[in-house]
Amino acid sequence: MIDKINRLKEEIEDFDITDAQSLEAFRLEYLSRNGKVQDMFKLMGSVPKDQKAAVGKLMNDVKVLAQERFNREKEKLERAQTKQFGPKDDITIPVEPTYTGSYHPLTIALNEIKQIFLRLGFNIADGPELEDDFHNFTALNFPPDHPARDMQDTFFIRRNDTGSKDDLVLRTHTSPVQIRLMKEKNPPIRSIMPGRVFRNEAVTAKSYFQFNQVEGLYVDRSVTMGELIETLVMFARLMYGSDVKYRVRPSFFPFTEPSIEMDIWWNNENGGQWLEILGAGMVDPNVFDAVGVDSEAYTGFAFGMGVDRIAMLRYGIDDIRLLYDNDIRFLNQFKL
Ligand code: PHE
């Protein structure tokens, strides 16, 4: 009996397995219900009682041996097969983390603003961030001694190459793009002009040396103040919801007359407060004169709003510096 078992054991060890077919033959020969291992167990009936335990153990070892050989050969064949299709990466190596991008909160806010004005029939224009005094100030009717030209607000840029007078500035607002547009083309003009602007201000949670504006300009025959206010109210409703509480106050800008500012009511823990969202007004005839638009034939309105404020209110961002640090832990919060 012991001999029989040992012979079976040798047979199992020596069986020639080279491919899927011989593997299957092995399985049928030894592991199937009618295979030699099961047959061997049938012999247990003839084993004397006192030897049953020892023989049973030997038989079981053979069974495990057969199963293990089968598993091993099967795995070997499978591995050989994948190799035929080229080297495979080790799938147990941890993958590099991948970072999916997200829109910057300023981009999200700007896209919303653009969508609203595109619906209202405006197109989109832009201009340079490096401006000259004429476009940033003079053509916009700033008197030569206006405080906004002061060193404290404006970054002046020295023009080394030409040796000409230092009249380059980082634009302090997007209004110079109005000037470029009106010089380039005749009315009607109905455009928004998004862009980055720069002011020489101390960096704090509330102010930064750069921020973003969206300028608006509508010039045609008989554009009215009523149309300006209607457009701004429409914007406020689409941006902040149809129940938005707003107010329009008189204001002053050198390039618009009359000038206004619009506030919206912002609810917060302490009840709420009025927040200025934009400046606007009717284009001053002096501006038309500076760019060669006939101020007798045409009127127009202009507005300028801050994008950073809108994004900060929308997402409860309490420090403007977060918008420019580009910390990935901050940016990842704005997945759409
Ligand atoms: N340029 C002004 C500012 O930066 C905003 C403005 C634009 C006001 C157009 C009136 C008309 O504050």
Side-chain angles (χ1 to χ4, degrees), residues 29-52:
E29 184 82 359
Y30 303 105
L31 292 172
S32 67
R33 207 165 345 127
N34 304 316
K36 287 185 174 169
V37 172
Q38 284 303 320
D39 285 350
M40 172 186 71
F41 279 111
K42 285 177 195 149
L43 299 174
M44 274 299 264
S46 62
V47 175
K49 248 204 177 108
D50 59 336
Q51 291 176 25
K52 266 202 193 339

PDB file of all heavy atoms in Angstrom, residues 29-52:
ATOM      1  N   GLU A  29      -6.191  13.253 -14.984  1.00  0.00           N
ATOM      2  CA  GLU A  29      -5.514  12.035 -14.522  1.00  0.00           C
ATOM      3  C   GLU A  29      -5.495  11.952 -12.989  1.00  0.00           C
ATOM      4  O   GLU A  29      -5.731  10.887 -12.421  1.00  0.00           O
ATOM      5  CB  GLU A  29      -4.075  12.033 -15.060  1.00  0.00           C
ATOM      6  CG  GLU A  29      -3.285  10.779 -14.744  1.00  0.00           C
ATOM      7  CD  GLU A  29      -3.574   9.639 -15.718  1.00  0.00           C
ATOM      8  OE1 GLU A  29      -4.407   9.837 -16.616  1.00  0.00           O
ATOM      9  OE2 GLU A  29      -2.980   8.554 -15.558  1.00  0.00           O
ATOM     10  N   TYR A  30      -5.258  13.071 -12.332  1.00  0.00           N
ATOM     11  CA  TYR A  30      -5.058  13.009 -10.871  1.00  0.00           C
ATOM     12  C   TYR A  30      -6.105  13.734 -10.032  1.00  0.00           C
ATOM     13  O   TYR A  30      -6.449  13.297  -8.958  1.00  0.00           O
ATOM     14  CB  TYR A  30      -3.662  13.563 -10.519  1.00  0.00           C
ATOM     15  CG  TYR A  30      -2.568  12.820 -11.236  1.00  0.00           C
ATOM     16  CD1 TYR A  30      -1.899  13.381 -12.317  1.00  0.00           C
ATOM     17  CD2 TYR A  30      -2.236  11.511 -10.848  1.00  0.00           C
ATOM     18  CE1 TYR A  30      -0.922  12.693 -13.000  1.00  0.00           C
ATOM     19  CE2 TYR A  30      -1.246  10.805 -11.535  1.00  0.00           C
ATOM     20  CZ  TYR A  30      -0.594  11.400 -12.601  1.00  0.00           C
ATOM     21  OH  TYR A  30       0.348  10.695 -13.275  1.00  0.00           O
ATOM     22  N   LEU A  31      -6.612  14.847 -10.510  1.00  0.00           N
ATOM     23  CA  LEU A  31      -7.430  15.676  -9.631  1.00  0.00           C
ATOM     24  C   LEU A  31      -8.938  15.555  -9.862  1.00  0.00           C
ATOM     25  O   LEU A  31      -9.722  16.027  -9.051  1.00  0.00           O
ATOM     26  CB  LEU A  31      -7.017  17.160  -9.777  1.00  0.00           C
ATOM     27  CG  LEU A  31      -5.622  17.482  -9.235  1.00  0.00           C
ATOM     28  CD1 LEU A  31      -5.221  18.905  -9.607  1.00  0.00           C
ATOM     29  CD2 LEU A  31      -5.588  17.304  -7.726  1.00  0.00           C
ATOM     30  N   SER A  32      -9.353  14.985 -10.974  1.00  0.00           N
ATOM     31  CA  SER A  32     -10.795  14.900 -11.233  1.00  0.00           C
ATOM     32  C   SER A  32     -11.447  13.884 -10.295  1.00  0.00           C
ATOM     33  O   SER A  32     -10.759  13.152  -9.579  1.00  0.00           O
ATOM     34  CB  SER A  32     -11.037  14.500 -12.693  1.00  0.00           C
ATOM     35  OG  SER A  32     -10.582  13.175 -12.891  1.00  0.00           O
ATOM     36  N   ARG A  33     -12.791  13.836 -10.359  1.00  0.00           N
ATOM     37  CA  ARG A  33     -13.506  12.966  -9.447  1.00  0.00           C
ATOM     38  C   ARG A  33     -13.165  11.483  -9.669  1.00  0.00           C
ATOM     39  O   ARG A  33     -13.144  10.697  -8.737  1.00  0.00           O
ATOM     40  CB  ARG A  33     -15.014  13.184  -9.570  1.00  0.00           C
ATOM     41  CG  ARG A  33     -15.698  12.829  -8.265  1.00  0.00           C
ATOM     42  CD  ARG A  33     -17.133  13.324  -8.100  1.00  0.00           C
ATOM     43  NE  ARG A  33     -17.582  14.341  -9.027  1.00  0.00           N
ATOM     44  CZ  ARG A  33     -18.710  14.180  -9.743  1.00  0.00           C
ATOM     45  NH1 ARG A  33     -19.409  13.076  -9.678  1.00  0.00           N
ATOM     46  NH2 ARG A  33     -19.100  15.159 -10.528  1.00  0.00           N
ATOM     47  N   ASN A  34     -12.867  11.141 -10.939  1.00  0.00           N
ATOM     48  CA  ASN A  34     -12.477   9.753 -11.227  1.00  0.00           C
ATOM     49  C   ASN A  34     -10.970   9.585 -11.339  1.00  0.00           C
ATOM     50  O   ASN A  34     -10.492   8.562 -11.832  1.00  0.00           O
ATOM     51  CB  ASN A  34     -13.130   9.295 -12.540  1.00  0.00           C
ATOM     52  CG  ASN A  34     -14.634   9.450 -12.483  1.00  0.00           C
ATOM     53  OD1 ASN A  34     -15.255   9.100 -11.473  1.00  0.00           O
ATOM     54  ND2 ASN A  34     -15.203  10.002 -13.538  1.00  0.00           N
ATOM     55  N   GLY A  35     -10.221  10.575 -10.877  1.00  0.00           N
ATOM     56  CA  GLY A  35      -8.761  10.551 -11.034  1.00  0.00           C
ATOM     57  C   GLY A  35      -8.085   9.622 -10.032  1.00  0.00           C
ATOM     58  O   GLY A  35      -8.721   9.052  -9.132  1.00  0.00           O
ATOM     59  N   LYS A  36      -6.799   9.480 -10.197  1.00  0.00           N
ATOM     60  CA  LYS A  36      -6.029   8.501  -9.422  1.00  0.00           C
ATOM     61  C   LYS A  36      -5.966   8.848  -7.934  1.00  0.00           C
ATOM     62  O   LYS A  36      -5.865   7.945  -7.093  1.00  0.00           O
ATOM     63  CB  LYS A  36      -4.609   8.385  -9.970  1.00  0.00           C
ATOM     64  CG  LYS A  36      -4.574   7.646 -11.316  1.00  0.00           C
ATOM     65  CD  LYS A  36      -3.155   7.427 -11.782  1.00  0.00           C
ATOM     66  CE  LYS A  36      -3.132   6.568 -13.054  1.00  0.00           C
ATOM     67  NZ  LYS A  36      -1.812   6.550 -13.694  1.00  0.00           N
ATOM     68  N   VAL A  37      -6.026  10.114  -7.594  1.00  0.00           N
ATOM     69  CA  VAL A  37      -5.965  10.485  -6.178  1.00  0.00           C
ATOM     70  C   VAL A  37      -7.234  10.015  -5.463  1.00  0.00           C
ATOM     71  O   VAL A  37      -7.179   9.420  -4.377  1.00  0.00           O
ATOM     72  CB  VAL A  37      -5.749  12.001  -6.006  1.00  0.00           C
ATOM     73  CG1 VAL A  37      -5.894  12.406  -4.549  1.00  0.00           C
ATOM     74  CG2 VAL A  37      -4.370  12.406  -6.546  1.00  0.00           C
ATOM     75  N   GLN A  38      -8.404  10.262  -6.110  1.00  0.00           N
ATOM     76  CA  GLN A  38      -9.655   9.801  -5.502  1.00  0.00           C
ATOM     77  C   GLN A  38      -9.673   8.266  -5.399  1.00  0.00           C
ATOM     78  O   GLN A  38     -10.095   7.707  -4.383  1.00  0.00           O
ATOM     79  CB  GLN A  38     -10.862  10.300  -6.321  1.00  0.00           C
ATOM     80  CG  GLN A  38     -11.193  11.782  -6.119  1.00  0.00           C
ATOM     81  CD  GLN A  38     -11.456  12.113  -4.663  1.00  0.00           C
ATOM     82  OE1 GLN A  38     -12.103  11.343  -3.929  1.00  0.00           O
ATOM     83  NE2 GLN A  38     -10.920  13.243  -4.199  1.00  0.00           N
ATOM     84  N   ASP A  39      -9.188   7.608  -6.495  1.00  0.00           N
ATOM     85  CA  ASP A  39      -9.137   6.137  -6.469  1.00  0.00           C
ATOM     86  C   ASP A  39      -8.323   5.640  -5.278  1.00  0.00           C
ATOM     87  O   ASP A  39      -8.687   4.659  -4.613  1.00  0.00           O
ATOM     88  CB  ASP A  39      -8.499   5.611  -7.761  1.00  0.00           C
ATOM     89  CG  ASP A  39      -9.475   5.714  -8.940  1.00  0.00           C
ATOM     90  OD1 ASP A  39     -10.675   6.010  -8.666  1.00  0.00           O
ATOM     91  OD2 ASP A  39      -9.054   5.517 -10.086  1.00  0.00           O
ATOM     92  N   MET A  40      -7.219   6.352  -5.033  1.00  0.00           N
ATOM     93  CA  MET A  40      -6.344   5.958  -3.934  1.00  0.00           C
ATOM     94  C   MET A  40      -7.083   6.001  -2.592  1.00  0.00           C
ATOM     95  O   MET A  40      -6.971   5.087  -1.773  1.00  0.00           O
ATOM     96  CB  MET A  40      -5.138   6.900  -3.918  1.00  0.00           C
ATOM     97  CG  MET A  40      -4.218   6.763  -2.725  1.00  0.00           C
ATOM     98  SD  MET A  40      -2.950   8.037  -2.740  1.00  0.00           S
ATOM     99  CE  MET A  40      -3.907   9.480  -2.366  1.00  0.00           C
ATOM    100  N   PHE A  41      -7.890   7.043  -2.425  1.00  0.00           N
ATOM    101  CA  PHE A  41      -8.617   7.142  -1.150  1.00  0.00           C
ATOM    102  C   PHE A  41      -9.597   5.988  -0.952  1.00  0.00           C
ATOM    103  O   PHE A  41      -9.886   5.598   0.171  1.00  0.00           O
ATOM    104  CB  PHE A  41      -9.374   8.490  -1.071  1.00  0.00           C
ATOM    105  CG  PHE A  41      -8.488   9.642  -0.656  1.00  0.00           C
ATOM    106  CD1 PHE A  41      -8.144  10.655  -1.550  1.00  0.00           C
ATOM    107  CD2 PHE A  41      -8.002   9.717   0.647  1.00  0.00           C
ATOM    108  CE1 PHE A  41      -7.340  11.695  -1.170  1.00  0.00           C
ATOM    109  CE2 PHE A  41      -7.192  10.770   1.034  1.00  0.00           C
ATOM    110  CZ  PHE A  41      -6.861  11.759   0.124  1.00  0.00           C
ATOM    111  N   LYS A  42     -10.084   5.425  -2.116  1.00  0.00           N
ATOM    112  CA  LYS A  42     -11.022   4.303  -2.001  1.00  0.00           C
ATOM    113  C   LYS A  42     -10.368   3.081  -1.338  1.00  0.00           C
ATOM    114  O   LYS A  42     -11.039   2.220  -0.797  1.00  0.00           O
ATOM    115  CB  LYS A  42     -11.550   3.918  -3.388  1.00  0.00           C
ATOM    116  CG  LYS A  42     -12.582   4.926  -3.905  1.00  0.00           C
ATOM    117  CD  LYS A  42     -13.041   4.577  -5.322  1.00  0.00           C
ATOM    118  CE  LYS A  42     -13.766   5.771  -5.940  1.00  0.00           C
ATOM    119  NZ  LYS A  42     -13.560   5.790  -7.403  1.00  0.00           N
ATOM    120  N   LEU A  43      -9.029   3.017  -1.413  1.00  0.00           N
ATOM    121  CA  LEU A  43      -8.310   1.872  -0.835  1.00  0.00           C
ATOM    122  C   LEU A  43      -8.281   1.905   0.684  1.00  0.00           C
ATOM    123  O   LEU A  43      -7.893   0.930   1.325  1.00  0.00           O
ATOM    124  CB  LEU A  43      -6.866   1.824  -1.360  1.00  0.00           C
ATOM    125  CG  LEU A  43      -6.715   1.663  -2.884  1.00  0.00           C
ATOM    126  CD1 LEU A  43      -5.246   1.787  -3.287  1.00  0.00           C
ATOM    127  CD2 LEU A  43      -7.285   0.317  -3.333  1.00  0.00           C
ATOM    128  N   MET A  44      -8.677   3.037   1.262  1.00  0.00           N
ATOM    129  CA  MET A  44      -8.645   3.180   2.725  1.00  0.00           C
ATOM    130  C   MET A  44      -9.403   2.067   3.432  1.00  0.00           C
ATOM    131  O   MET A  44      -9.026   1.634   4.532  1.00  0.00           O
ATOM    132  CB  MET A  44      -9.250   4.527   3.145  1.00  0.00           C
ATOM    133  CG  MET A  44      -8.270   5.682   3.142  1.00  0.00           C
ATOM    134  SD  MET A  44      -6.907   5.414   4.277  1.00  0.00           S
ATOM    135  CE  MET A  44      -7.501   6.303   5.697  1.00  0.00           C
ATOM    136  N   GLY A  45     -10.490   1.586   2.763  1.00  0.00           N
ATOM    137  CA  GLY A  45     -11.318   0.542   3.367  1.00  0.00           C
ATOM    138  C   GLY A  45     -10.495  -0.696   3.728  1.00  0.00           C
ATOM    139  O   GLY A  45     -10.768  -1.355   4.739  1.00  0.00           O
ATOM    140  N   SER A  46      -9.485  -1.035   2.950  1.00  0.00           N
ATOM    141  CA  SER A  46      -8.701  -2.261   3.166  1.00  0.00           C
ATOM    142  C   SER A  46      -7.507  -2.058   4.095  1.00  0.00           C
ATOM    143  O   SER A  46      -6.758  -2.986   4.353  1.00  0.00           O
ATOM    144  CB  SER A  46      -8.218  -2.808   1.812  1.00  0.00           C
ATOM    145  OG  SER A  46      -7.368  -1.848   1.220  1.00  0.00           O
ATOM    146  N   VAL A  47      -7.319  -0.796   4.582  1.00  0.00           N
ATOM    147  CA  VAL A  47      -6.175  -0.545   5.458  1.00  0.00           C
ATOM    148  C   VAL A  47      -6.516  -0.949   6.892  1.00  0.00           C
ATOM    149  O   VAL A  47      -7.584  -0.620   7.383  1.00  0.00           O
ATOM    150  CB  VAL A  47      -5.800   0.955   5.424  1.00  0.00           C
ATOM    151  CG1 VAL A  47      -4.680   1.258   6.425  1.00  0.00           C
ATOM    152  CG2 VAL A  47      -5.398   1.377   4.013  1.00  0.00           C
ATOM    153  N   PRO A  48      -5.632  -1.716   7.546  1.00  0.00           N
ATOM    154  CA  PRO A  48      -5.897  -2.115   8.937  1.00  0.00           C
ATOM    155  C   PRO A  48      -6.113  -0.882   9.821  1.00  0.00           C
ATOM    156  O   PRO A  48      -5.479   0.155   9.586  1.00  0.00           O
ATOM    157  CB  PRO A  48      -4.622  -2.863   9.343  1.00  0.00           C
ATOM    158  CG  PRO A  48      -3.911  -3.180   8.077  1.00  0.00           C
ATOM    159  CD  PRO A  48      -4.355  -2.214   7.053  1.00  0.00           C
ATOM    160  N   LYS A  49      -6.968  -1.069  10.830  1.00  0.00           N
ATOM    161  CA  LYS A  49      -7.370   0.039  11.672  1.00  0.00           C
ATOM    162  C   LYS A  49      -6.198   0.815  12.246  1.00  0.00           C
ATOM    163  O   LYS A  49      -6.168   2.050  12.201  1.00  0.00           O
ATOM    164  CB  LYS A  49      -8.241  -0.497  12.822  1.00  0.00           C
ATOM    165  CG  LYS A  49      -9.676  -0.034  12.692  1.00  0.00           C
ATOM    166  CD  LYS A  49     -10.370  -0.052  14.060  1.00  0.00           C
ATOM    167  CE  LYS A  49     -11.773   0.483  13.913  1.00  0.00           C
ATOM    168  NZ  LYS A  49     -12.799  -0.574  14.025  1.00  0.00           N
ATOM    169  N   ASP A  50      -5.195   0.064  12.747  1.00  0.00           N
ATOM    170  CA  ASP A  50      -4.093   0.751  13.444  1.00  0.00           C
ATOM    171  C   ASP A  50      -3.179   1.511  12.493  1.00  0.00           C
ATOM    172  O   ASP A  50      -2.351   2.305  12.924  1.00  0.00           O
ATOM    173  CB  ASP A  50      -3.288  -0.254  14.275  1.00  0.00           C
ATOM    174  CG  ASP A  50      -2.712  -1.351  13.391  1.00  0.00           C
ATOM    175  OD1 ASP A  50      -3.298  -1.575  12.288  1.00  0.00           O
ATOM    176  OD2 ASP A  50      -1.684  -1.919  13.759  1.00  0.00           O
ATOM    177  N   GLN A  51      -3.320   1.295  11.183  1.00  0.00           N
ATOM    178  CA  GLN A  51      -2.473   2.026  10.238  1.00  0.00           C
ATOM    179  C   GLN A  51      -3.225   3.149   9.528  1.00  0.00           C
ATOM    180  O   GLN A  51      -2.650   3.924   8.772  1.00  0.00           O
ATOM    181  CB  GLN A  51      -1.921   1.057   9.176  1.00  0.00           C
ATOM    182  CG  GLN A  51      -0.922   0.075   9.762  1.00  0.00           C
ATOM    183  CD  GLN A  51      -0.463  -0.946   8.735  1.00  0.00           C
ATOM    184  OE1 GLN A  51      -0.492  -0.692   7.544  1.00  0.00           O
ATOM    185  NE2 GLN A  51      -0.060  -2.111   9.233  1.00  0.00           N
ATOM    186  N   LYS A  52      -4.557   3.205   9.755  1.00  0.00           N
ATOM    187  CA  LYS A  52      -5.404   4.153   9.023  1.00  0.00           C
ATOM    188  C   LYS A  52      -4.897   5.596   9.124  1.00  0.00           C
ATOM    189  O   LYS A  52      -4.808   6.324   8.123  1.00  0.00           O
ATOM    190  CB  LYS A  52      -6.853   4.062   9.529  1.00  0.00           C
ATOM    191  CG  LYS A  52      -7.710   3.121   8.721  1.00  0.00           C
ATOM    192  CD  LYS A  52      -9.172   3.509   8.937  1.00  0.00           C
ATOM    193  CE  LYS A  52     -10.223   2.515   8.479  1.00  0.00           C
ATOM    194  NZ  LYS A  52     -10.045   1.498   7.526  1.00  0.00           N
TER     195      LYS A  52
END
